[in-house]
Amino acid sequence: AVDESELLTVPEGWKEPAFTREDNPKGLLEESSFATLFPKYREAYLKECWPLVQKALGEHYVNAALDLIEGSMTVTTTKKTFDPYAIIRARDLIKLLARSVPFEQAVRILQDDVACDIIKIGSLVRKRETFIKRRARLLGPKGSTLKALELLTNCYIMVQGNTVSALGPFSGLKEVRKVVLDTMKNIHPIYSIKTLMIKRELAKDPELRTQSWERFLPKFKRKNLKKRKEPKKKNTKKEYTPFPPPQPESQIDKELASGEYFLKERQKKRKQMEEIKAKQADAIKRRQEERNKAFIPPKEKPVVKTKKASTEKKIDIEAIKEKVKNAKKKKLGALPEEEVKLKMAADEKKKKKK
């Protein structure tokens, strides 16, 4: 008796046996071919690495042709080809080369445990400016976000134009596609990177393999920071009433209400002229007020009076004269008289001792 969970899980280190000629000794009945176009800027690189491409595909007995005039690459099967899936891998190889993936990485598609996925992102965002910003967000500062994704998914990722080319194991490609599509939907890739890091740690524990990981994974809520702009004019619906609105008054009804209807034509004209003259008088008065504004002098600032210097303190001229006389007697740098006398006395005593 064997546990069913053990039968469903793949043992560690197990690999699918390689497809050999013994599995298909008679080869293929029909010739298959695939062709793809490449941009002009890839011509120089493809021309340089094409012998290596032919050598790699020749091991699987698949022919490769490069047409520089049409700008296309073609792969075809031969009579010696025994692996029916080799042509599909060759097709993926030329697709990756056309999408600016270097040959050293693209040639890995010929291995059994490696697959590729080309994700089209050009039509996921309407505005071109928004698309460029979100594509730059996928790359991250100096390509750090993309490098983190590559390490967590074990895939090689190449962002080029309107597509993202990924190359690696099937489980990693699934995660890459999810992250790329979420980024284009305005979900930052850092949330996906955090989730992948937690999953990577949980996969190391053999006890958690059969359990659900939802309790360990973080749940991020979307926050709408910007509120929707409300329109200036709001159309409010009026309450429904079965009765129709009242009929508007006609000109005759208005004249009857004001009493103008019973006036004569002369009186009506005189009244109209009086109203026109009153309006004109108001307009002239307003215009005159606006013109007079220019002639109104501005308010001047009050003049601040400066305080005169006080001359109460009298200067002693005689004291200043005495100071000047004493200064003239002294030489510049000379010692005062008392110090000179003391020095002279000290010198005489030294001479007597000698």
Side-chain angles (χ1 to χ4, degrees):
V2 184
D3 191 9
E4 287 183 5
S5 61
E6 288 181 10
L7 293 171
L8 293 169
T9 54
V10 179
E12 288 183 10
W14 185 84
K15 280 188 178 182
E16 185 114 7
F19 193 86
T20 57
R21 189 172 281 282
E22 293 172 5
D23 296 319
N24 187 17
K26 293 181 180 180
L28 306 175
L29 297 171
E30 294 290 332
E31 188 181 283
S32 303
S33 66
F34 288 102
T36 186
L37 298 170
F38 60 87
K40 186 74 176 174
Y41 62 84
R42 290 290 289 168
E43 189 178 311
Y45 180 78
L46 290 171
K47 197 176 178 181
E48 190 182 337
C49 73
W50 197 249
L52 297 169
V53 175
Q54 286 179 322
K55 188 183 176 183
L57 291 173
E59 292 174 5
H60 297 269
Y61 304 101
V62 176
N63 285 337
L66 178 68
D67 192 345
L68 296 173
I69 297 161
E70 286 185 7
S72 66
M73 294 179 280
T74 313
V75 287
T76 51
T77 55
T78 59
K79 289 180 180 179
K80 290 183 179 180
T81 309
F82 61 88
D83 187 359
Y85 200 70
I87 189 67
I88 304 297
R89 286 181 184 150
R91 179 202 65 182
D92 292 340
L93 173 64
I94 59 172
K95 270 188 184 179
L96 291 168
L97 289 169
R99 295 311 310 149
S100 296
V101 177
F103 170 75
E104 291 79 11
Q105 292 290 340
V107 77
R108 286 171 55 210
I109 195 69
L110 300 173
Q111 298 172 15
D112 287 339
D113 57 343
V114 178
C116 76
D117 189 9
I118 295 168
I119 307 152
K120 292 177 182 179
I121 57 172
S123 60
L124 296 175
V125 185
R126 285 183 183 179
K127 289 183 181 178
R128 184 72 183 168
E129 292 173 4
T130 313
F131 167 71
I132 291 162
K133 282 180 184 176
R134 288 180 189 177
R135 187 177 64 183
R137 192 185 289 168
L138 183 65
L139 291 165
K142 296 180 182 178
S144 57
T145 308
L146 199 70
K147 191 70 183 171
L149 273 173
E150 286 181 348
L151 291 168
L152 289 166
T153 57
N154 296 323
C155 293
Y156 173 81
I157 306 164
M158 182 74 187
V159 181
Q160 176 71 16
N162 295 334
T163 58
V164 177
S165 306
L167 185 79
F170 291 99
S171 58
L173 292 175
K174 189 180 175 184
E175 295 292 343
V176 169
R177 178 171 271 275
K178 185 181 175 293
V179 173
V180 170
L181 294 176
D182 284 351
T183 307
M184 289 295 126
K185 289 174 186 173
N186 202 20
I187 299 166
H188 204 282
I190 196 71
Y191 300 125
S192 305
I193 287 166
K194 281 182 180 179
T195 309
L196 287 168
M197 286 172 77
I198 293 161
K199 282 181 178 178
R200 195 178 188 181
E201 292 298 317
L202 291 169
K204 291 175 184 177
D205 193 351
E207 291 179 4
L208 295 168
R209 281 188 179 179
T210 54
Q211 295 178 17
S212 177
W213 291 351
E214 281 185 12
R215 59 199 170 121
F216 301 108
L217 299 176
K219 291 174 183 177
F220 302 105
K221 291 179 181 179
R222 291 190 74 177
K223 291 180 181 178
N224 294 329
L225 298 173
K226 287 185 180 179
K227 290 183 179 179
R228 184 177 167 272
K229 288 182 179 179
E230 293 182 358
K232 288 180 180 178
K233 292 180 181 179
K234 291 183 179 179
N235 296 327
T236 52
K237 288 185 177 180
K238 294 176 183 178
E239 291 182 8
Y240 173 75
T241 53
F243 308 105
Q247 198 170 358
E249 288 184 348
S250 64
Q251 191 67 26
I252 296 163
D253 292 336
K254 287 176 183 177
E255 287 177 359
L256 285 166
S258 62
E260 287 179 25
Y261 185 78
F262 304 104
L263 296 172
K264 292 177 182 180
E265 283 188 16
R266 280 182 188 176
Q267 290 172 331
K268 282 180 183 178
K269 282 181 181 179
R270 195 186 296 161
K271 195 178 181 182
Q272 284 176 357
M273 287 300 290
E274 283 173 2
E275 285 175 1
I276 291 162
K277 281 179 181 179
K279 283 180 182 178
Q280 285 175 351
D282 289 337
I284 289 161
K285 193 180 179 182
R286 264 188 264 113
R287 248 182 267 133
Q288 198 65 38
E289 284 175 1
E290 285 177 7
R291 283 175 187 170
N292 292 337
K293 279 180 185 177
F295 300 105
I296 296 165
K299 288 182 180 179
E300 293 181 359
K301 291 179 182 178
V303 180
V304 181
K305 291 180 179 179
T306 54
K307 291 180 180 179
K308 291 180 180 180
S310 60
T311 56
E312 290 176 3
K313 291 180 181 179
K314 291 180 181 180
I315 298 161
D316 195 356
I317 296 163
E318 290 178 3
I320 292 163
K321 281 180 180 180
E322 283 179 11
K323 281 182 182 179
V324 172
K325 280 180 184 179
N326 292 330
K328 280 181 180 179
K329 286 177 184 178
K330 288 180 182 179
K331 289 180 181 178
L332 290 166
L335 294 165
E337 288 180 6
E338 293 175 1
E339 286 184 16
V340 171
K341 286 176 182 178
L342 289 166
K343 271 196 171 185
M344 291 284 282
D347 290 336
E348 283 177 4
K349 282 179 182 179
K350 283 180 181 177
K351 283 177 182 180
K352 283 177 183 180
K353 283 179 182 180
K354 285 178 180 180

